Amino acid sequence: ETGVTQTPRHLVMGMTNKKSLKCEQHLGHNAMYWYKQSAKKPLELMFVYSLEERVENNSVPSRFSPECPNSSHLFLHLHTLQPEDSALYLCASSQVASGSGPYEQYFGPGTRLTVT
Amino acid sequence: GQNIDQPTEMTATEGAIVQINCTYQTSGFNGLFWYQQHAGEAPTFLSYNVLDGLEEKGRFSSFLSRSKGYSYLLLKELQMKDSASYLCAANRDDKIIFGKGTRLHILP
């Protein structure tokens, strides 16, 4: 049990669909992250929320839309995706201390997304 | 991965020792993480080095040289369950940047 859960674990969607990925952390952390992991590429940071405010958006296409309603929940809303968006999407959480940067991140099991 | 370099693959024998190296750009550097990721699973935290030197945690040790932009992860008494990818990640300007990972194969 990692303390970070993600649903669904697997998702297949067409390019015209709209779906959402959900992440929940039970660790009392104050920062949450979305990563994309594609084969043979490093983990790509997509979005960061710290204290429920988005603090980073790494030039992610607008077809990916994050939402963080509170410090324990994080969503990634998907619409009109492309086949190249097929990947493992990982959520993570950490504690962030002012002036000290992030401590270690705890990852969820990921959602394996396939866009057809 | 923004100049985080580590070998793509390594192979070692059960019971042996293996060292996985990682080099990174030193600008804005605050610390160096190591994560383990088994196939199909999420990464799990192994270590975080901020100061120069070696930190030991059981069979795993991590070393950092800030001036050289260099770290390594040392795995002793290898077991088959250590077959996994090992991800090096630098905390630079309070952002965590991951390398591509080193896939470690353990032979019986």
Side-chain angles (χ1 to χ4, degrees), chain A residues 32-108:
Chain A
M32 296 187 76
Y33 310 77
W34 278 117
Y35 286 90
K36 177 183 178 182
Q37 188 172 39
S38 304
K40 299 185 180 180
K41 288 187 177 181
L43 276 171
E44 300 172 52
L45 180 64
M46 300 175 72
F47 301 103
V48 180
Y49 278 84
S50 180
L51 300 175
E52 299 167 41
E53 287 189 23
R54 189 191 308 183
V55 297
E56 186 153 344
N57 175 347
N58 277 352
S59 302
V60 179
S62 60
R63 57 186 184 268
F64 294 91
S65 174
E67 178 189 0
C68 186
N70 56 60
S71 60
S72 299
H73 293 86
L74 185 66
F75 295 89
L76 188 62
H77 303 299
L78 316 171
H79 63 97
T80 59
L81 294 190
Q82 304 298 310
E84 60 264 30
D85 296 323
S86 298
L88 181 68
Y89 288 84
L90 290 162
C91 172
S93 71
S94 75
Q95 197 62 23
V96 177
S98 176
S100 300
Y103 297 109
E104 64 268 22
Q105 296 180 351
Y106 291 78
F107 286 83

Side-chain angles (χ1 to χ4, degrees), chain B residues 40-87:
Chain B
E41 297 183 14
T44 55
F45 170 78
L46 290 177
S47 64
Y48 182 47
N49 292 63
V50 175
L51 303 176
D52 285 355
L54 185 69
E55 293 194 6
E56 299 186 54
K57 279 187 184 180
R59 294 190 298 115
F60 292 8
S61 303
S62 55
F63 172 83
L64 180 67
S65 169
R66 295 178 67 111
S67 61
K68 295 182 179 178
Y70 167 69
S71 173
Y72 67 72
L73 181 69
L74 190 72
L75 292 75
K76 302 176 185 175
E77 301 170 15
L78 286 170
Q79 301 175 10
M80 297 304 294
K81 67 179 182 179
D82 297 329
S83 293
S85 288
Y86 291 87
L87 311 178

Side-chain angles (χ1 to χ4, degrees), chain B residues 91-107:
Chain B
N91 178 347
R92 289 174 55 191
D93 297 319
D94 292 342
K95 297 177 185 178
I96 299 180
I97 301 167
F98 281 86
K100 291 186 179 182
T102 299
R103 185 167 298 187
L104 177 63
H105 304 277
I106 309 296
L107 303 177

